Amino acid sequence: MTDGILVELDKVSFGYDGVLALQDVDLVVRQGDFLAIIGPNGGGKTTLLECILGLRKPWRGTIRRFTSGRAGALGYVPQFARFDADFPLRVRDVIAMGRLGPARSTGGWNRWRLAPAERTLLAEISDRFGLTHLLERPIGDLSGGQVQRVLTARALAAEPEILFLDEPLASVDAQHRKTLVDTLAELRSRIPVVVVTHDLTPWAPIVGQIACVNRTLHYHPEGRVSEETLHEVYGCPVELVAHGVPHRVLHEH
């Protein structure tokens, strides 16, 4: 790891069916960062995460990851969870899957027995996300917002070295939205967090850096963007709502 850098992208390009979705993207994520990635629908935000995570191979450019390489080192919470709602998994089981590594991927039930410290960790995470009363419920019985909280808890159970979340507040109710934001704010002191979002308002107190993505990437290390940058990224004037008041985002805010 160099100068606290955990992820470094150098001139990364990627696309679909011959059409560029990302073009010459440069980006670094450092220890202590809380990076918000914003941009229009179809602008390449999720594609960027998938390239960083190794789920997609860039057409051009280089991605360097200065993490341990162990299972769970790169925590990821996708925007849409796809799973068989009828599969008999309890919430407790899904969260515990965060502790599943290569050594536990085979070998039967004995491999799944958690150490006391692991059970304590999972109990603490479940309580933090308000999931304790749901631990015995089938995952298929949960609402979209509850599933999102379970998947975030699973990612944290792996004790990641960096955490990526794609629209984590999209289906979460107001009460648990604050819980999630507060938890990630606390987590920032230990690991960097990268959040894809359409709404910066809930994250405003804790965002440290902003990346505006619409095929190309504009990086703002100071955590604020000018009206001109938003116009360039979105292709039109952008009105945001902060604390219920519509206003334009200006350089000084």
Side-chain angles (χ1 to χ4, degrees):
M1 182 168 58
T2 305
D3 296 329
I5 295 175
L6 291 178
V7 175
E8 183 177 29
L9 281 68
D10 181 17
K11 297 293 184 290
V12 169
S13 296
F14 179 83
Y16 304 92
D17 299 323
V19 179
L20 280 173
L22 298 171
Q23 181 177 359
D24 295 329
V25 168
D26 295 326
L27 180 67
V28 295
V29 181
R30 292 181 169 87
Q31 191 68 44
D33 281 0
F34 197 110
L35 170 66
I37 299 176
I38 66 172
N41 289 334
K45 302 184 299 298
T46 297
T47 299
L48 175 60
L49 286 195
E50 292 175 347
C51 287
I52 293 173
L53 292 162
L55 301 176
R56 299 190 183 276
K57 183 178 180 180
W59 288 356
R60 298 188 300 272
T62 304
I63 299 177
R64 304 178 186 90
R65 305 173 188 86
F66 302 97
T67 57
S68 66
R70 66 172 175 79
L74 299 179
Y76 177 44
V77 183
Q79 180 178 2
F80 301 109
R82 296 177 176 86
F83 59 90
D84 183 356
D86 294 325
F87 195 79
L89 272 179
R90 299 171 300 170
V91 169
R92 180 188 304 279
D93 301 324
V94 175
I95 299 174
M97 288 173 67
R99 305 302 303 176
L100 180 63
R104 281 175 166 160
S105 60
T106 59
W109 175 249
N110 288 338
R111 296 282 189 175
W112 264 95
R113 289 182 179 172
L114 300 177
E118 290 179 303
R119 290 197 294 270
T120 298
L121 172 66
L122 298 188
E124 291 174 350
I125 292 173
S126 300
D127 181 64
R128 181 181 301 172
F129 284 98
L131 297 170
T132 303
H133 68 293
L134 298 174
L135 289 176
E136 303 304 323
R137 290 270 298 276
I139 188 70
D141 288 355
L142 271 55
S143 67
Q146 289 170 331
V147 169
Q148 193 73 6
R149 284 153 50 202
V150 171
L151 296 181
T152 306
R154 181 184 66 176
L156 290 183
E159 298 181 287
E161 296 165 32
I162 179 170
L163 182 62
F164 299 87
L165 305 103
D166 194 353
E167 294 287 356
L169 303 182
S171 55
V172 179
D173 60 68
Q175 175 187 351
H176 292 104
R177 182 175 301 180
K178 184 179 186 305
T179 297
L180 180 56
V181 171
D182 290 347
T183 299
L184 295 178
E186 174 191 346
L187 189 69
R188 179 189 181 183
S189 65
R190 303 197 299 276
I191 67 170
V193 177
V194 178
V195 175
V196 168
T197 181
H198 279 95
D199 182 8
L200 279 173
T201 305
W203 308 105
I206 54 177
V207 164
Q209 301 78 29
I210 296 174
C212 301
V213 180
N214 189 3
R215 193 177 71 177
T216 58
L217 185 146
H218 302 263
Y219 180 71
H220 302 273
E222 72 284 357
R224 65 186 183 193
V225 295
S226 67
E227 183 179 12
E228 292 76 14
T229 299
L230 287 173
H231 190 288
E232 182 176 353
V233 171
Y234 286 90
C236 61
V238 175
E239 298 281 347
L240 299 185
V241 177
H243 308 294
V245 182
H247 67 289
R248 291 189 183 278
V249 175
L250 305 176
H251 187 69
E252 298 292 334
H253 176 63

